[in-house]
Amino acid sequence: MKRFMINSEMSAQYARDGYFHARKVLTAAVLNVFSKELRQKMAALTQNQPPLEERSTYKRAFTQVTNLWQKSDIIRDFVFRADLAQLAADIMGANGVRLYHDQALFKEAGGGATPWHVDQVYWPMDTVNTCTFWIPLQKTTAEMGTLSFAKGSHLKVEGREMVISDESEAFFSDWVRESGFEVSRDEFELGDISIHAGWTVHHAGPNQTDRNREVMTIIYMADDARLLKRLSPTQAVDRDAFTPGSQPAELISTSLNPVLFSR
Ligand SMILES: O=C(O)CCC(=O)C(=O)O
């Protein structure tokens, strides 16, 4: 299959909207091998979960496991794919990208909505050149809980201090409506990838079907990203987990953050 190429219209759309729906990037054959491995690892790593009704809003939204690339060669090969990393660099207009981290997000059958939020409130990098590849492992309809974005919200600063919570849901759902943002409502075919910037306001609906909504994500940052000079307590937790040992204002280059593509 030919590599998915980003043209100037696509990167301009990403810069304007804060997200881009890349269609038919990966083949079913690639995804089927990957999802079989991922499903097995997720089953082994997420045993004994409490029933949905006993969980917090956050934990009802999805079961989350991070840096799975460290647990399997098949997953590492997928997360480290140079073609995906180049796509990330191209759409952001960056010279190259490093891995920030990966995470699987499985929204269980009957699982709750993912509250409106921004991702970068958690992240300790000094750049806006960050993006998440949200890679569904099945055709994903609105009933399963697709991602929706407030188009252009990455250019505003309101609510940026709020972590994922009932509070972020209440604030952003009002703000998005009252500010008149257009909200994307895409469904995703197997092979499609949703790409969004770290400050884009987004949410996902509940999973109203009887099967899990399985998604893998890869989070990239520009290869010249530095650690912020001052970190919030939330960002310090992320620093310790995903860029351990990084120093204020210095280039982030730990062994967990390899360069995955460079020009
Ligand atoms: O998959 C979801 O429900 C939420 C994903 C998300 O918020 C993200 O990847 O940034």
Side-chain angles (χ1 to χ4, degrees):
M1 194 170 177
K2 276 189 21 214
R3 187 169 77 74
F4 187 92
M5 303 292 280
I6 293 293
N7 60 33
S8 54
E9 208 174 303
M10 294 169 180
S11 47
Q13 195 179 327
Y14 173 80
R16 186 192 64 216
D17 295 341
Y19 85 99
F20 181 72
H21 182 162
R23 296 175 197 273
K24 297 191 182 161
V25 182
L26 294 163
T27 62
V30 164
L31 286 168
N32 289 340
V33 171
F34 172 69
S35 13
K36 189 161 169 234
E37 173 77 357
L38 183 68
R39 211 168 284 132
Q40 277 171 6
K41 287 283 175 248
M42 284 294 280
L45 293 166
T46 60
Q47 288 169 3
N48 305 320
Q49 300 262 46
L52 278 166
E53 58 277 11
E54 288 174 19
R55 298 187 209 166
S56 64
T57 302
Y58 190 101
K59 292 198 165 155
R60 268 200 304 276
F62 42 68
T63 301
Q64 175 182 28
V65 180
T66 58
N67 272 347
L68 284 147
W69 67 269
Q70 295 179 298
K71 311 232 180 276
S72 148
D73 289 348
I74 294 175
I75 298 176
R76 190 190 57 230
D77 289 349
F78 184 82
V79 170
F80 282 27
R81 282 178 70 118
D83 58 344
L84 296 186
Q86 177 162 7
L87 210 161
D90 287 349
I91 201 133
M92 293 193 292
N95 174 64
V97 290
R98 289 180 182 274
L99 178 66
Y100 181 46
H101 66 83
D102 70 46
Q103 63 189 0
L105 298 172
F106 283 14
K107 197 184 275 295
E108 285 168 49
T114 307
W116 282 103
H117 68 281
V118 288
D119 299 336
Q120 199 149 337
V121 60
Y122 293 97
W123 299 345
M125 301 82 103
D126 72 345
T127 176
V128 293
N129 271 340
T130 57
C131 68
T132 298
F133 277 32
W134 188 86
I135 308 171
L137 303 177
Q138 68 287 303
K139 176 181 162 79
T140 307
T141 59
E143 291 70 39
M144 294 187 99
T146 49
L147 274 195
S148 283
F149 302 97
K151 290 188 184 181
S153 55
H154 61 306
L155 303 172
K156 310 285 183 197
V157 297
E158 284 88 342
R160 282 192 172 184
E161 67 290 349
M162 266 179 260
V163 295
I164 301 180
S165 56
D166 293 331
E167 187 198 8
S168 70
E169 169 67 21
F171 174 81
F172 282 122
S173 55
D174 285 352
W175 180 75
V176 166
R177 194 180 48 252
E178 285 161 12
S179 311
F181 285 104
E182 194 184 331
V183 175
S184 70
R185 308 214 179 271
D186 297 9
E187 299 197 326
F188 292 84
E189 296 296 329
L190 185 68
D192 291 1
I193 298 182
S194 169
I195 305 171
H196 64 272
W199 288 118
T200 306
V201 177
H202 58 286
H203 82 138
N207 183 354
Q208 297 168 295
T209 72
D210 57 6
R211 60 174 294 205
N212 289 350
R213 186 221 64 183
E214 297 175 342
V215 166
M216 181 62 171
T217 65
I218 308 173
I219 303 166
Y220 302 96
M221 57 185 158
D223 61 355
D224 58 356
R226 291 172 181 272
L227 200 75
L228 286 165
K229 288 198 184 113
R230 257 199 299 279
L231 302 181
S232 68
T234 308
Q235 289 164 338
V237 170
D238 246 45
R239 187 249 344 252
D240 293 345
F242 302 124
T243 68
S246 288
Q247 297 299 316
E250 287 186 4
L251 193 72
I252 298 176
S253 61
T254 81
S255 59
L256 295 189
N257 314 115
V259 173
L260 298 181
F261 172 76
S262 179
R263 286 176 212 290

